[in-house]
Amino acid sequence: MTHEGRASKEAPQATIFTQTLLDQCISCGFCLPACPTYALTGDESASPRGRITLMRALQAGSVAPDDPAAQEQSSFCLGCRACEPVCPAGVQYGTLLEEWRATQWVGRRRPLVARALMALARQQWLFRALGVMRGTARERSTDGPHLMLGCFERVLFPAVGAAATELLPELCVTSRQGCCGALHAHNGKLEEGRRMAHALGEQLPGQIVTTSGGCAAHLAAELGRPRVAEFSEYVAATASEDSPGELRVDGRRARVTLQDSCHLRNGLGVWREPRRLLEEVADFVELPDADGCCGAAGSYSLLRRRDSWRLLQKKIASIEEAGVDLVVAVNPGCLRQLKTGLRRSRSQVEAIHLVEAIRRALEGTAV
């Protein structure tokens, strides 16, 4: 089950949380095995059920927002939403977490790193200039969908946007586009994040294609599901009869695995599409924990480095055991996290974005 929208705008708004969302939780515990922080600690309070119990106490006023336990658990949660697909009651935990942080993370209680990242994301002129310097997708006008370039993606991984436009010539590219607001919504600036999503929707009319799973989930929640498509989802819906090519290494077909984007899989239910693309161009190997968070979780890897690293170490070990040549990501934050982990462990496995993998296959480029 997936949850594509925010809480209904018509639902009665409580002081902190939308009461109808809190009431959905039946405390069954199905979420516990799916939660990465519960797996790390075995602590009930570090599970979705435990956190919702804490949310209810905050809502009732029996726990203050500056309570150390409330502050810790609002920060310790990855926000990966792995609890949502397994929840029989359909609890929209991701929305509850955003509402929590919008109240919890105010003033000095908002982490300094989060404040710095959000301030940087507002400097869109800087991202446009750096994107051009770094060689991201060039501006062009077409009658097709708009490509969302992303803020940090166009600077950190400019080749992704450039590859997307090579593979999909129908995509329209507008350089003067702002941040989607996902960073803000996840870090205590929920209303600002929503406004930014709608502003981007006005800048990019019609359908938006994105190469970032996290951005896709946020935009779909705000603009409506039909307006947003992640790259693999769009390709699957507009598949051509052309040969997809092949990824090869040392004269053989490459062995490739995939790390899911948490918000793309758990929020939008998109996980089959990238696998199908990779199965066409390589020998695909499924990771046993591909649907588990890699520890990137947006700003989490910067806010809680130690906890993020614990999750990443497990992920890197799983990738090494799979005996693959490439690990593919569908989100820039995950890609940065995997590259960091593989480099630190001196692994021979390369981490690349799905878009780059498909371009390599079409070009017949050896890994």
Side-chain angles (χ1 to χ4, degrees):
M1 111 186 26
T2 62
H3 310 290
E4 298 165 358
R6 306 278 188 220
S8 170
K9 299 294 189 294
E10 298 178 359
Q13 295 295 309
T15 305
I16 301 175
F17 304 101
T18 302
Q19 188 63 45
T20 52
L21 296 187
L22 277 182
D23 292 343
Q24 279 183 290
C25 178
I26 58 176
S27 301
C28 65
F30 276 56
C31 56
L32 271 66
C35 178
T37 53
Y38 179 75
L40 280 178
T41 64
D43 182 2
E44 167 80 16
S45 64
S47 72
R49 182 171 67 179
R51 291 185 177 109
I52 287 177
T53 299
L54 186 54
M55 291 177 195
R56 286 170 169 162
L58 285 162
Q59 185 88 320
S62 57
V63 170
D66 59 355
D67 180 88
Q71 193 72 1
E72 168 63 11
Q73 289 305 327
S74 67
S75 170
F76 189 27
C77 180
L78 290 147
C80 67
R81 300 171 64 180
C83 50
E84 292 190 24
V86 301
C87 178
V91 174
Q92 297 180 46
Y93 181 85
T95 302
L96 287 170
L97 180 64
E98 289 178 347
E99 291 180 345
W100 189 4
R101 289 179 175 172
T103 301
Q104 191 82 39
W105 291 11
V106 294
R108 293 185 178 181
R109 292 204 301 266
R110 179 172 294 115
L112 181 59
V113 172
R115 279 183 271 168
L117 288 173
M118 288 187 284
L120 183 60
R122 297 186 188 100
Q123 310 305 315
Q124 288 304 304
W125 64 271
L126 179 61
F127 286 101
R128 287 196 293 268
L130 291 175
V132 171
M133 293 172 60
R134 295 272 288 154
T136 192
R138 295 182 178 179
E139 186 157 347
R140 70 185 185 195
S141 179
T142 72
D143 294 328
H146 283 82
L147 174 65
M148 195 199 83
L149 296 173
C151 299
F152 295 96
E153 184 177 54
R154 75 174 92 172
V155 176
L156 296 176
F157 305 111
V160 173
T165 56
E166 290 179 23
L167 295 171
L168 302 172
E170 71 270 25
L171 292 182
C172 180
V173 180
T174 303
S175 62
R176 297 184 66 83
Q177 53 179 272
C179 173
C180 75
L183 174 68
H184 300 71
H186 299 159
N187 286 278
K189 288 279 192 178
L190 180 54
E191 291 306 318
E192 183 175 355
R194 286 171 169 167
R195 289 194 299 270
M196 294 172 78
H198 287 278
L200 181 61
E202 293 177 1
Q203 292 171 337
L204 307 179
Q207 188 179 36
I208 299 172
V209 175
T210 173
T211 53
S212 170
C215 298
H218 176 66
L219 281 176
E222 292 302 323
L223 303 182
R225 189 65 178 94
R227 283 204 58 191
V228 182
E230 181 270 337
F231 171 81
S232 68
E233 184 184 23
Y234 177 80
V235 171
T238 59
S240 69
E241 298 298 324
D242 297 336
S243 171
E246 185 176 54
L247 282 168
R248 299 189 66 80
V249 56
D250 296 332
R252 60 172 172 80
R253 193 172 169 91
R255 287 172 57 84
V256 176
T257 192
L258 175 78
Q259 169 59 33
D260 282 303
S261 158
C262 293
H263 279 220
L264 187 63
R265 179 170 183 140
N266 302 325
L268 294 186
V270 176
W271 57 276
R272 298 178 184 89
E273 294 86 343
R275 285 167 170 78
R276 288 172 184 156
L277 287 180
L278 291 174
E279 286 168 354
E280 291 181 352
V281 300
D283 289 339
F284 183 73
V285 180
E286 184 68 52
L287 286 181
D289 59 344
D291 59 345
C293 187
C294 66
S299 59
Y300 193 90
S301 62
L302 299 176
L303 295 175
R304 300 189 66 112
R305 292 177 180 271
R306 182 172 176 271
D307 295 319
S308 173
W309 178 242
R310 290 168 69 191
L311 290 166
L312 180 57
Q313 283 180 305
K314 294 173 62 177
K315 184 67 64 177
I316 297 302
S318 180
I319 293 170
E320 290 288 1
E321 289 173 8
V324 295
D325 304 298
L326 295 172
V327 56
V328 174
V330 288
N331 188 68
C334 302
L335 182 57
R336 184 192 67 83
Q337 178 85 336
L338 293 172
K339 282 181 174 291
T340 299
L342 291 169
R343 184 177 65 251
R344 287 184 181 179
S345 63
R346 299 182 180 179
S347 173
Q348 296 301 307
V349 180
E350 181 185 3
I352 63 172
H353 195 281
L354 175 65
V355 179
E356 295 176 288
I358 301 305
R359 182 176 67 172
R360 285 191 192 182
L362 286 171
E363 294 176 347
T365 305
V367 176

